[in-house]
Amino acid sequence: MANDEQPIHLDAEDARAGATPHMTRYILAISLVLVIVIFAVLLLR
């Protein structure tokens, strides 16, 4: 059992407990560009 007086220190990888692929930022960027293009096309119609 953990002692309440001593804090538990974890590094970022252990605390995250999962993989973090960099694909998410590409999906966000592509989606943002597509939304802007779609809105521009709808605006110009």
Side-chain angles (χ1 to χ4, degrees):
M1 183 151 206
N3 188 356
D4 291 335
E5 295 177 7
Q6 295 182 2
I8 299 172
H9 295 285
L10 297 173
D11 62 1
E13 188 172 338
D14 287 337
R16 190 170 31 239
T20 55
H22 296 289
M23 184 174 35
T24 306
R25 68 180 66 170
Y26 298 123
I27 292 172
L28 178 63
I30 291 169
S31 299
L32 180 62
V33 169
L34 285 175
V35 166
I36 291 171
V37 168
I38 290 170
F39 280 143
V41 167
L42 290 175
L43 184 67
L44 295 175
R45 287 179 100 192

